[in-house]
mmCIF file with all atom_site columns, all heavy atoms in Angstrom:
data_model
loop_
_atom_site.group_PDB
_atom_site.id
_atom_site.type_symbol
_atom_site.label_atom_id
_atom_site.label_alt_id
_atom_site.label_comp_id
_atom_site.label_asym_id
_atom_site.label_entity_id
_atom_site.label_seq_id
_atom_site.pdbx_PDB_ins_code
_atom_site.Cartn_x
_atom_site.Cartn_y
_atom_site.Cartn_z
_atom_site.occupancy
_atom_site.B_iso_or_equiv
_atom_site.pdbx_formal_charge
_atom_site.auth_seq_id
_atom_site.auth_comp_id
_atom_site.auth_asym_id
_atom_site.auth_atom_id
_atom_site.pdbx_PDB_model_num
ATOM 1   N N   . GLY I 1 8   ? 22.089  19.023 -39.364 1.00 0.00 ? 136 GLY I N   1
ATOM 2   C CA  . GLY I 1 8   ? 21.829  17.585 -39.367 1.00 0.00 ? 136 GLY I CA  1
ATOM 3   C C   . GLY I 1 8   ? 20.988  17.171 -38.175 1.00 0.00 ? 136 GLY I C   1
ATOM 4   O O   . GLY I 1 8   ? 20.074  16.355 -38.294 1.00 0.00 ? 136 GLY I O   1
ATOM 5   N N   . VAL I 1 9   ? 21.284  17.746 -37.007 1.00 0.00 ? 137 VAL I N   1
ATOM 6   C CA  . VAL I 1 9   ? 20.509  17.439 -35.800 1.00 0.00 ? 137 VAL I CA  1
ATOM 7   C C   . VAL I 1 9   ? 19.088  17.960 -35.963 1.00 0.00 ? 137 VAL I C   1
ATOM 8   O O   . VAL I 1 9   ? 18.122  17.263 -35.639 1.00 0.00 ? 137 VAL I O   1
ATOM 9   C CB  . VAL I 1 9   ? 21.181  18.032 -34.543 1.00 0.00 ? 137 VAL I CB  1
ATOM 10  C CG1 . VAL I 1 9   ? 20.267  17.953 -33.336 1.00 0.00 ? 137 VAL I CG1 1
ATOM 11  C CG2 . VAL I 1 9   ? 22.499  17.329 -34.263 1.00 0.00 ? 137 VAL I CG2 1
ATOM 12  N N   . VAL I 1 22  ? 2.999   10.967 -35.504 1.00 0.00 ? 150 VAL I N   1
ATOM 13  C CA  . VAL I 1 22  ? 2.154   9.949  -36.147 1.00 0.00 ? 150 VAL I CA  1
ATOM 14  C C   . VAL I 1 22  ? 1.835   8.835  -35.151 1.00 0.00 ? 150 VAL I C   1
ATOM 15  O O   . VAL I 1 22  ? 0.686   8.389  -35.044 1.00 0.00 ? 150 VAL I O   1
ATOM 16  C CB  . VAL I 1 22  ? 2.832   9.399  -37.421 1.00 0.00 ? 150 VAL I CB  1
ATOM 17  C CG1 . VAL I 1 22  ? 2.099   8.179  -37.969 1.00 0.00 ? 150 VAL I CG1 1
ATOM 18  C CG2 . VAL I 1 22  ? 2.919   10.489 -38.486 1.00 0.00 ? 150 VAL I CG2 1
ATOM 19  N N   . TYR I 1 23  ? 2.845   8.394  -34.392 1.00 0.00 ? 151 TYR I N   1
ATOM 20  C CA  . TYR I 1 23  ? 2.618   7.372  -33.367 1.00 0.00 ? 151 TYR I CA  1
ATOM 21  C C   . TYR I 1 23  ? 1.579   7.869  -32.353 1.00 0.00 ? 151 TYR I C   1
ATOM 22  O O   . TYR I 1 23  ? 0.674   7.121  -31.974 1.00 0.00 ? 151 TYR I O   1
ATOM 23  C CB  . TYR I 1 23  ? 3.926   7.012  -32.654 1.00 0.00 ? 151 TYR I CB  1
ATOM 24  C CG  . TYR I 1 23  ? 3.699   6.039  -31.524 1.00 0.00 ? 151 TYR I CG  1
ATOM 25  C CD1 . TYR I 1 23  ? 3.633   4.671  -31.773 1.00 0.00 ? 151 TYR I CD1 1
ATOM 26  C CD2 . TYR I 1 23  ? 3.519   6.486  -30.226 1.00 0.00 ? 151 TYR I CD2 1
ATOM 27  C CE1 . TYR I 1 23  ? 3.398   3.781  -30.743 1.00 0.00 ? 151 TYR I CE1 1
ATOM 28  C CE2 . TYR I 1 23  ? 3.271   5.601  -29.201 1.00 0.00 ? 151 TYR I CE2 1
ATOM 29  C CZ  . TYR I 1 23  ? 3.210   4.249  -29.458 1.00 0.00 ? 151 TYR I CZ  1
ATOM 30  O OH  . TYR I 1 23  ? 2.959   3.369  -28.443 1.00 0.00 ? 151 TYR I OH  1
ATOM 31  N N   . LEU I 1 40  ? -17.599 3.596  -23.356 1.00 0.00 ? 168 LEU I N   1
ATOM 32  C CA  . LEU I 1 40  ? -17.256 4.711  -22.470 1.00 0.00 ? 168 LEU I CA  1
ATOM 33  C C   . LEU I 1 40  ? -16.908 5.949  -23.281 1.00 0.00 ? 168 LEU I C   1
ATOM 34  O O   . LEU I 1 40  ? -16.505 5.852  -24.439 1.00 0.00 ? 168 LEU I O   1
ATOM 35  C CB  . LEU I 1 40  ? -16.043 4.362  -21.601 1.00 0.00 ? 168 LEU I CB  1
ATOM 36  C CG  . LEU I 1 40  ? -16.179 3.229  -20.606 1.00 0.00 ? 168 LEU I CG  1
ATOM 37  C CD1 . LEU I 1 40  ? -14.835 2.956  -19.939 1.00 0.00 ? 168 LEU I CD1 1
ATOM 38  C CD2 . LEU I 1 40  ? -17.237 3.556  -19.562 1.00 0.00 ? 168 LEU I CD2 1
ATOM 39  N N   . ILE I 1 51  ? -5.327  4.248  -14.658 1.00 0.00 ? 179 ILE I N   1
ATOM 40  C CA  . ILE I 1 51  ? -5.439  3.564  -13.366 1.00 0.00 ? 179 ILE I CA  1
ATOM 41  C C   . ILE I 1 51  ? -4.866  2.151  -13.464 1.00 0.00 ? 179 ILE I C   1
ATOM 42  O O   . ILE I 1 51  ? -4.077  1.730  -12.612 1.00 0.00 ? 179 ILE I O   1
ATOM 43  C CB  . ILE I 1 51  ? -6.912  3.556  -12.890 1.00 0.00 ? 179 ILE I CB  1
ATOM 44  C CG1 . ILE I 1 51  ? -7.351  4.980  -12.542 1.00 0.00 ? 179 ILE I CG1 1
ATOM 45  C CG2 . ILE I 1 51  ? -7.106  2.612  -11.705 1.00 0.00 ? 179 ILE I CG2 1
ATOM 46  C CD1 . ILE I 1 51  ? -8.854  5.161  -12.388 1.00 0.00 ? 179 ILE I CD1 1
ATOM 47  N N   . LEU I 1 66  ? -4.311  11.197 -10.707 1.00 0.00 ? 194 LEU I N   1
ATOM 48  C CA  . LEU I 1 66  ? -5.056  10.922 -11.930 1.00 0.00 ? 194 LEU I CA  1
ATOM 49  C C   . LEU I 1 66  ? -5.482  12.223 -12.586 1.00 0.00 ? 194 LEU I C   1
ATOM 50  O O   . LEU I 1 66  ? -5.356  12.386 -13.799 1.00 0.00 ? 194 LEU I O   1
ATOM 51  C CB  . LEU I 1 66  ? -6.281  10.047 -11.655 1.00 0.00 ? 194 LEU I CB  1
ATOM 52  C CG  . LEU I 1 66  ? -7.175  9.800  -12.870 1.00 0.00 ? 194 LEU I CG  1
ATOM 53  C CD1 . LEU I 1 66  ? -6.455  8.988  -13.935 1.00 0.00 ? 194 LEU I CD1 1
ATOM 54  C CD2 . LEU I 1 66  ? -8.472  9.118  -12.441 1.00 0.00 ? 194 LEU I CD2 1
ATOM 55  N N   . SER I 1 73  ? -9.877  19.017 -13.983 1.00 0.00 ? 201 SER I N   1
ATOM 56  C CA  . SER I 1 73  ? -9.977  19.648 -12.670 1.00 0.00 ? 201 SER I CA  1
ATOM 57  C C   . SER I 1 73  ? -10.327 18.579 -11.640 1.00 0.00 ? 201 SER I C   1
ATOM 58  O O   . SER I 1 73  ? -10.801 17.486 -11.987 1.00 0.00 ? 201 SER I O   1
ATOM 59  C CB  . SER I 1 73  ? -11.069 20.717 -12.682 1.00 0.00 ? 201 SER I CB  1
ATOM 60  O OG  . SER I 1 73  ? -12.349 20.104 -12.812 1.00 0.00 ? 201 SER I OG  1
ATOM 61  N N   . LEU I 1 80  ? -15.997 11.994 -12.848 1.00 0.00 ? 208 LEU I N   1
ATOM 62  C CA  . LEU I 1 80  ? -15.558 10.870 -13.676 1.00 0.00 ? 208 LEU I CA  1
ATOM 63  C C   . LEU I 1 80  ? -15.405 9.615  -12.824 1.00 0.00 ? 208 LEU I C   1
ATOM 64  O O   . LEU I 1 80  ? -15.882 8.536  -13.194 1.00 0.00 ? 208 LEU I O   1
ATOM 65  C CB  . LEU I 1 80  ? -14.235 11.245 -14.351 1.00 0.00 ? 208 LEU I CB  1
ATOM 66  C CG  . LEU I 1 80  ? -13.526 10.173 -15.169 1.00 0.00 ? 208 LEU I CG  1
ATOM 67  C CD1 . LEU I 1 80  ? -12.823 10.809 -16.352 1.00 0.00 ? 208 LEU I CD1 1
ATOM 68  C CD2 . LEU I 1 80  ? -12.518 9.432  -14.329 1.00 0.00 ? 208 LEU I CD2 1
ATOM 69  N N   . LEU I 1 84  ? -17.276 5.953  -13.120 1.00 0.00 ? 212 LEU I N   1
ATOM 70  C CA  . LEU I 1 84  ? -16.530 4.710  -13.306 1.00 0.00 ? 212 LEU I CA  1
ATOM 71  C C   . LEU I 1 84  ? -16.767 3.733  -12.155 1.00 0.00 ? 212 LEU I C   1
ATOM 72  O O   . LEU I 1 84  ? -16.875 2.517  -12.372 1.00 0.00 ? 212 LEU I O   1
ATOM 73  C CB  . LEU I 1 84  ? -15.033 4.998  -13.452 1.00 0.00 ? 212 LEU I CB  1
ATOM 74  C CG  . LEU I 1 84  ? -14.621 5.744  -14.716 1.00 0.00 ? 212 LEU I CG  1
ATOM 75  C CD1 . LEU I 1 84  ? -13.126 6.046  -14.691 1.00 0.00 ? 212 LEU I CD1 1
ATOM 76  C CD2 . LEU I 1 84  ? -15.001 4.967  -15.964 1.00 0.00 ? 212 LEU I CD2 1
ATOM 77  N N   . ARG I 1 100 ? -6.667  9.177  4.979   1.00 0.00 ? 228 ARG I N   1
ATOM 78  C CA  . ARG I 1 100 ? -7.211  10.211 4.091   1.00 0.00 ? 228 ARG I CA  1
ATOM 79  C C   . ARG I 1 100 ? -6.820  9.972  2.637   1.00 0.00 ? 228 ARG I C   1
ATOM 80  O O   . ARG I 1 100 ? -7.456  10.497 1.731   1.00 0.00 ? 228 ARG I O   1
ATOM 81  C CB  . ARG I 1 100 ? -6.724  11.599 4.527   1.00 0.00 ? 228 ARG I CB  1
ATOM 82  C CG  . ARG I 1 100 ? -7.219  12.016 5.911   1.00 0.00 ? 228 ARG I CG  1
ATOM 83  C CD  . ARG I 1 100 ? -6.552  13.284 6.338   1.00 0.00 ? 228 ARG I CD  1
ATOM 84  N NE  . ARG I 1 100 ? -5.121  13.021 6.502   1.00 0.00 ? 228 ARG I NE  1
ATOM 85  C CZ  . ARG I 1 100 ? -4.223  13.914 6.864   1.00 0.00 ? 228 ARG I CZ  1
ATOM 86  N NH1 . ARG I 1 100 ? -4.576  15.151 7.075   1.00 0.00 ? 228 ARG I NH1 1
ATOM 87  N NH2 . ARG I 1 100 ? -2.960  13.595 6.993   1.00 0.00 ? 228 ARG I NH2 1
ATOM 88  N N   . ILE I 1 110 ? -11.466 -5.105 -15.977 1.00 0.00 ? 238 ILE I N   1
ATOM 89  C CA  . ILE I 1 110 ? -10.790 -4.129 -16.838 1.00 0.00 ? 238 ILE I CA  1
ATOM 90  C C   . ILE I 1 110 ? -9.514  -4.692 -17.454 1.00 0.00 ? 238 ILE I C   1
ATOM 91  O O   . ILE I 1 110 ? -9.281  -4.544 -18.657 1.00 0.00 ? 238 ILE I O   1
ATOM 92  C CB  . ILE I 1 110 ? -10.508 -2.812 -16.081 1.00 0.00 ? 238 ILE I CB  1
ATOM 93  C CG1 . ILE I 1 110 ? -11.818 -2.066 -15.843 1.00 0.00 ? 238 ILE I CG1 1
ATOM 94  C CG2 . ILE I 1 110 ? -9.506  -1.949 -16.824 1.00 0.00 ? 238 ILE I CG2 1
ATOM 95  C CD1 . ILE I 1 110 ? -12.527 -1.628 -17.123 1.00 0.00 ? 238 ILE I CD1 1
ATOM 96  N N   . GLN I 1 111 ? -8.669  -5.343 -16.654 1.00 0.00 ? 239 GLN I N   1
ATOM 97  C CA  . GLN I 1 111 ? -7.416  -5.863 -17.208 1.00 0.00 ? 239 GLN I CA  1
ATOM 98  C C   . GLN I 1 111 ? -7.698  -6.921 -18.261 1.00 0.00 ? 239 GLN I C   1
ATOM 99  O O   . GLN I 1 111 ? -7.044  -6.951 -19.300 1.00 0.00 ? 239 GLN I O   1
ATOM 100 C CB  . GLN I 1 111 ? -6.502  -6.413 -16.102 1.00 0.00 ? 239 GLN I CB  1
ATOM 101 C CG  . GLN I 1 111 ? -5.098  -6.685 -16.586 1.00 0.00 ? 239 GLN I CG  1
ATOM 102 C CD  . GLN I 1 111 ? -4.413  -5.440 -17.155 1.00 0.00 ? 239 GLN I CD  1
ATOM 103 O OE1 . GLN I 1 111 ? -4.317  -4.419 -16.501 1.00 0.00 ? 239 GLN I OE1 1
ATOM 104 N NE2 . GLN I 1 111 ? -3.938  -5.528 -18.378 1.00 0.00 ? 239 GLN I NE2 1
ATOM 105 N N   . PHE I 1 117 ? -8.430  -6.480 -25.905 1.00 0.00 ? 245 PHE I N   1
ATOM 106 C CA  . PHE I 1 117 ? -8.397  -5.448 -26.940 1.00 0.00 ? 245 PHE I CA  1
ATOM 107 C C   . PHE I 1 117 ? -6.982  -5.195 -27.460 1.00 0.00 ? 245 PHE I C   1
ATOM 108 O O   . PHE I 1 117 ? -6.756  -5.138 -28.668 1.00 0.00 ? 245 PHE I O   1
ATOM 109 C CB  . PHE I 1 117 ? -8.999  -4.143 -26.409 1.00 0.00 ? 245 PHE I CB  1
ATOM 110 C CG  . PHE I 1 117 ? -9.118  -3.074 -27.447 1.00 0.00 ? 245 PHE I CG  1
ATOM 111 C CD1 . PHE I 1 117 ? -10.231 -3.004 -28.272 1.00 0.00 ? 245 PHE I CD1 1
ATOM 112 C CD2 . PHE I 1 117 ? -8.117  -2.119 -27.622 1.00 0.00 ? 245 PHE I CD2 1
ATOM 113 C CE1 . PHE I 1 117 ? -10.347 -2.028 -29.248 1.00 0.00 ? 245 PHE I CE1 1
ATOM 114 C CE2 . PHE I 1 117 ? -8.220  -1.138 -28.592 1.00 0.00 ? 245 PHE I CE2 1
ATOM 115 C CZ  . PHE I 1 117 ? -9.335  -1.091 -29.407 1.00 0.00 ? 245 PHE I CZ  1
ATOM 116 N N   . PRO I 1 120 ? -3.678  -8.412 -29.345 1.00 0.00 ? 248 PRO I N   1
ATOM 117 C CA  . PRO I 1 120 ? -3.180  -8.613 -30.715 1.00 0.00 ? 248 PRO I CA  1
ATOM 118 C C   . PRO I 1 120 ? -2.144  -7.564 -31.135 1.00 0.00 ? 248 PRO I C   1
ATOM 119 O O   . PRO I 1 120 ? -1.184  -7.883 -31.832 1.00 0.00 ? 248 PRO I O   1
ATOM 120 C CB  . PRO I 1 120 ? -4.446  -8.515 -31.568 1.00 0.00 ? 248 PRO I CB  1
ATOM 121 C CG  . PRO I 1 120 ? -5.555  -8.911 -30.634 1.00 0.00 ? 248 PRO I CG  1
ATOM 122 C CD  . PRO I 1 120 ? -5.140  -8.368 -29.285 1.00 0.00 ? 248 PRO I CD  1
ATOM 123 N N   . HIS I 1 131 ? 13.183  -7.672 -34.214 1.00 0.00 ? 259 HIS I N   1
ATOM 124 C CA  . HIS I 1 131 ? 14.181  -7.501 -35.275 1.00 0.00 ? 259 HIS I CA  1
ATOM 125 C C   . HIS I 1 131 ? 15.352  -6.605 -34.836 1.00 0.00 ? 259 HIS I C   1
ATOM 126 O O   . HIS I 1 131 ? 16.317  -6.474 -35.585 1.00 0.00 ? 259 HIS I O   1
ATOM 127 C CB  . HIS I 1 131 ? 13.547  -6.909 -36.535 1.00 0.00 ? 259 HIS I CB  1
ATOM 128 C CG  . HIS I 1 131 ? 12.458  -7.760 -37.103 1.00 0.00 ? 259 HIS I CG  1
ATOM 129 N ND1 . HIS I 1 131 ? 12.686  -8.975 -37.700 1.00 0.00 ? 259 HIS I ND1 1
ATOM 130 C CD2 . HIS I 1 131 ? 11.117  -7.575 -37.127 1.00 0.00 ? 259 HIS I CD2 1
ATOM 131 C CE1 . HIS I 1 131 ? 11.541  -9.504 -38.081 1.00 0.00 ? 259 HIS I CE1 1
ATOM 132 N NE2 . HIS I 1 131 ? 10.573  -8.674 -37.752 1.00 0.00 ? 259 HIS I NE2 1
ATOM 133 N N   . VAL I 1 144 ? 13.723  7.883  -25.373 1.00 0.00 ? 272 VAL I N   1
ATOM 134 C CA  . VAL I 1 144 ? 12.328  8.261  -25.111 1.00 0.00 ? 272 VAL I CA  1
ATOM 135 C C   . VAL I 1 144 ? 12.212  8.868  -23.706 1.00 0.00 ? 272 VAL I C   1
ATOM 136 O O   . VAL I 1 144 ? 11.500  9.863  -23.509 1.00 0.00 ? 272 VAL I O   1
ATOM 137 C CB  . VAL I 1 144 ? 11.379  7.064  -25.309 1.00 0.00 ? 272 VAL I CB  1
ATOM 138 C CG1 . VAL I 1 144 ? 9.978   7.365  -24.805 1.00 0.00 ? 272 VAL I CG1 1
ATOM 139 C CG2 . VAL I 1 144 ? 11.335  6.665  -26.778 1.00 0.00 ? 272 VAL I CG2 1
ATOM 140 N N   . MET I 1 151 ? 10.353  17.271 -22.375 1.00 0.00 ? 279 MET I N   1
ATOM 141 C CA  . MET I 1 151 ? 8.996   17.802 -22.575 1.00 0.00 ? 279 MET I CA  1
ATOM 142 C C   . MET I 1 151 ? 8.360   18.201 -21.242 1.00 0.00 ? 279 MET I C   1
ATOM 143 O O   . MET I 1 151 ? 7.718   19.245 -21.151 1.00 0.00 ? 279 MET I O   1
ATOM 144 C CB  . MET I 1 151 ? 8.118   16.776 -23.292 1.00 0.00 ? 279 MET I CB  1
ATOM 145 C CG  . MET I 1 151 ? 8.542   16.489 -24.721 1.00 0.00 ? 279 MET I CG  1
ATOM 146 S SD  . MET I 1 151 ? 8.293   17.885 -25.829 1.00 0.00 ? 279 MET I SD  1
ATOM 147 C CE  . MET I 1 151 ? 6.564   17.722 -26.165 1.00 0.00 ? 279 MET I CE  1
ATOM 148 N N   . ALA I 1 153 ? 9.889   19.208 -18.542 1.00 0.00 ? 281 ALA I N   1
ATOM 149 C CA  . ALA I 1 153 ? 10.521  20.450 -18.096 1.00 0.00 ? 281 ALA I CA  1
ATOM 150 C C   . ALA I 1 153 ? 9.972   21.641 -18.882 1.00 0.00 ? 281 ALA I C   1
ATOM 151 O O   . ALA I 1 153 ? 9.690   22.702 -18.309 1.00 0.00 ? 281 ALA I O   1
ATOM 152 C CB  . ALA I 1 153 ? 12.038  20.360 -18.262 1.00 0.00 ? 281 ALA I CB  1
#
Side-chain angles (χ1 to χ4, degrees):
V137 169
V150 170
Y151 176 84
L168 296 175
I179 292 166
L194 176 65
S201 68
L208 175 146
L212 293 176
R228 296 172 295 180
I238 289 297
Q239 192 59 55
F245 185 86
H259 300 291
V272 170
M279 294 292 279

